[in-house]
Amino acid sequence: MTPTRVLVLNSGSSSLKYQLLDMRDSSRLAVGLVERIGEQTSRLRHTPLASGETREQSGPIADHETALKAVAEELARDGLGLDSPELAAIGHRVVHGGMFFTEPTVIDDSVLTEIERLIPVAPLHNPANLTGIRTARALRPDLPQVAVFDTAFHTSMPESAARYAIDPRIADRYRIRRYGFHGTSHAYVSRETARLLGRAPEEVNVIVLHLGNGASASAVERGRCVDTSMGLTPLEGLVMGTRSGDLDPAVIFHFARVGDMSMDEIDTLLNKRSGLFGLCGDNDMREIRRRVDEGDEAAALAFDIYIHRIKKYIGAYYAVLGQVDAVAFTAGVGENAAAVRAAAVAGLEGLGLAVDEELNAVRSDDARLISPASARVAVAVVPTDEELEIATQTYALVGKKS
Ligand code: AMP
């Protein structure tokens, strides 16, 4: 029997998300999440798609190893255990692959060492990803495991977009450059947008707006990323749920010198207490829209700043690409918030961009066009599917060999 299943693992610092897919038809067999690992109030939610009935466990789960063992037990209860001969591989989301990893990579000891070497540029994410990989390898040492990097899609950026305007020798010593993130999503969505237009990815230029709690834009030229809004870390670029996005770096000196704040305090302020949350106290776009509709001024200003930044990036990437076939909205906000899509494109008719009000109001899980038929540039809503993309890339690498 040829194994056709892929388990996708996404390990965060205190969470473990997973999906088991069957790559014969890309269907989901099970999905789940372990939250608050290391606390007394950990919780595991597991849904086998055959029954659709979610099972929940709560109580302390000490670490990722215990969490993955609990997940393995849940999967085994549905006849989908990690020891199944049908399991072809485990695909791991790894946030930072630096310049080294330009493609999904079968994990061996040297790959682990390199991911470890990248911890200084991804101090929150890579250690958690490594823990997930080590735990999975201990459980199934014989099974191929693949790392799929958030940064890989962006390694095609030209130096003019990837470098900051600082001394390259200093930049190289500290590995400072614009890496970009959400690459798995940008890769998937740009390809799906081409498919929606009935064209090959190599034939179209797409601006992808990944608007979730984290948010980033990318300029994709004929299937290759040529610019993206996140940089050395996921702090740069668009206004996000709790991250400021772009600001004058001198703001940081000012906080330190005039505000007498420590680097850790500034880090927390800009990453966790800024963005929409910092501006108005809410980071959920549903709540912000509700407040705007009620006439709340702080929420309205937060919304305007958020939209203004998106517009600037659409304009910038239009110029970078020269010619644009489509603008695609994706992730929690991009897929669901019609008001954000309408506002982001409003006034851009001169660039050939417009949204059809009725099409924009339709709620659907399918990729769809929301621009009028006459528009020069297509505007699309394309639900992202990072797990499917990780599974597809993993299976492409190991499926044929198994
Ligand atoms: P993500 O990080 O892609 O899961 O996106 C999460 C964000 O999507 C939430 O914080 C909300 O701001 C936003 N979101 C989710 N559902 C909706 C909705 N129906 N309308 C507006 N925003 C939404």
Side-chain angles (χ1 to χ4, degrees):
M1 175 201 310
T2 309
T4 56
R5 292 180 188 160
V6 174
L7 178 67
V8 176
L9 293 182
N10 181 353
S11 313
S13 53
S14 65
S15 68
L16 176 68
K17 288 189 212 146
Y18 63 93
Q19 291 197 2
L20 182 68
L21 292 96
D22 188 334
M23 299 318 291
R24 280 176 300 191
D25 56 0
S26 304
S27 62
R28 261 96 179 149
L29 299 171
V31 302
L33 165 70
V34 189
E35 292 172 291
R36 299 193 289 272
I37 297 173
E39 295 177 31
Q40 290 302 310
T41 56
S42 318
R43 188 174 67 161
L44 190 163
R45 286 167 63 88
H46 173 85
T47 311
L49 274 292
S51 70
E53 275 171 33
T54 300
R55 299 197 290 271
E56 222 177 287
Q57 290 179 29
S58 35
I61 295 182
D63 50 31
H64 282 75
E65 192 179 338
T66 319
L68 188 56
K69 280 186 180 151
V71 169
E73 276 169 29
E74 287 297 333
L75 287 167
R77 280 176 67 184
D78 304 313
L80 302 169
L82 294 192
D83 53 357
S84 162
E86 290 176 69
L87 189 60
I90 300 181
H92 296 267
R93 175 184 183 218
V94 180
V95 168
H96 217 308
M99 287 174 72
F100 191 80
F101 295 110
T102 58
E103 290 182 344
T105 305
V106 176
I107 297 166
D108 59 19
D109 290 344
S110 69
V111 171
L112 282 180
T113 307
E114 192 56 35
I115 297 174
E116 215 164 59
R117 275 178 15 103
L118 288 162
I119 287 177
V121 284
L124 294 180
H125 293 105
N126 275 28
N129 301 156
L130 278 167
T131 308
I133 295 172
R134 290 207 173 96
T135 307
R137 283 182 103 204
L139 280 183
R140 278 296 309 269
D142 55 314
L143 195 68
Q145 314 233 359
V146 173
V148 178
F149 299 93
D150 263 21
T151 46
F153 184 60
H154 304 303
T155 53
S156 55
M157 282 198 289
E159 289 294 278
S160 53
R163 287 229 174 236
Y164 292 107
I166 56 176
D167 183 335
R169 288 164 303 182
I170 298 174
D172 291 348
R173 187 183 316 151
Y174 297 105
R175 300 204 205 194
I176 291 172
R177 61 189 281 121
R178 307 191 55 257
Y179 294 101
F181 298 88
H182 292 144
T184 310
S185 177
H186 286 285
Y188 177 84
V189 170
S190 56
R191 239 185 19 245
E192 286 301 302
T193 305
R195 194 203 302 266
L196 188 66
L197 299 179
R199 317 231 337 240
E202 299 73 32
E203 289 172 1
V204 294
N205 291 350
V206 185
I207 297 172
V208 178
L209 299 166
H210 177 112
L211 309 176
N213 203 22
S216 63
S218 69
V220 183
E221 185 176 53
R222 300 174 178 276
R224 287 165 61 84
C225 178
V226 292
D227 205 349
T228 194
S229 59
M230 285 177 167
L232 173 74
T233 76
L235 183 56
E236 192 180 339
L238 299 175
V239 176
M240 308 180 212
T242 63
R243 292 180 216 140
S244 63
D246 293 335
L247 44 74
D248 180 345
V251 169
I252 294 164
F253 319 146
H254 199 77
F255 278 141
R257 291 184 186 133
V258 181
D260 202 23
M261 291 166 67
S262 70
M263 277 304 149
D264 283 347
E265 283 170 333
I266 300 170
D267 191 327
T268 303
L269 175 68
L270 296 180
N271 272 299
K272 303 220 167 107
R273 309 196 58 78
S274 295
L276 292 168
F277 176 79
L279 285 164
C280 73
D282 269 310
N283 60 341
D284 192 311
M285 190 50 77
R286 287 163 285 204
E287 188 56 21
I288 291 168
R289 285 306 310 168
R290 197 190 56 71
R291 285 173 56 186
V292 171
D293 290 342
E294 283 176 356
D296 183 316
E297 283 180 21
L301 179 60
F303 187 78
D304 289 349
I305 294 171
Y306 181 85
I307 296 295
H308 180 77
R309 189 78 55 84
I310 296 173
K311 266 199 178 141
K312 278 197 350 189
Y313 272 93
I314 294 176
Y317 288 170
Y318 210 108
V320 166
L321 292 167
Q323 178 264 324
V324 176
D325 297 287
V327 173
F329 287 89
T330 193
V333 176
E335 291 167 29
N336 296 300
V340 167
R341 298 191 297 256
V345 169
L348 302 185
E349 294 81 7
L351 298 179
L353 284 163
V355 155
D356 177 293
E357 225 175 285
E358 266 177 44
L359 292 176
N360 190 31
V362 173
R363 300 197 65 85
S364 161
D365 292 334
D366 296 329
R368 58 202 184 272
L369 292 176
I370 56 168
S371 41
S374 58
R376 244 188 312 133
V377 178
V379 181
V381 180
V382 179
T384 192
D385 195 337
E386 289 165 278
E387 289 77 15
L388 174 60
E389 181 68 16
I390 292 171
T392 305
Q393 294 193 12
T394 298
Y395 195 61
L397 204 55
V398 306
K400 291 175 218 99
K401 286 186 225 144
S402 354

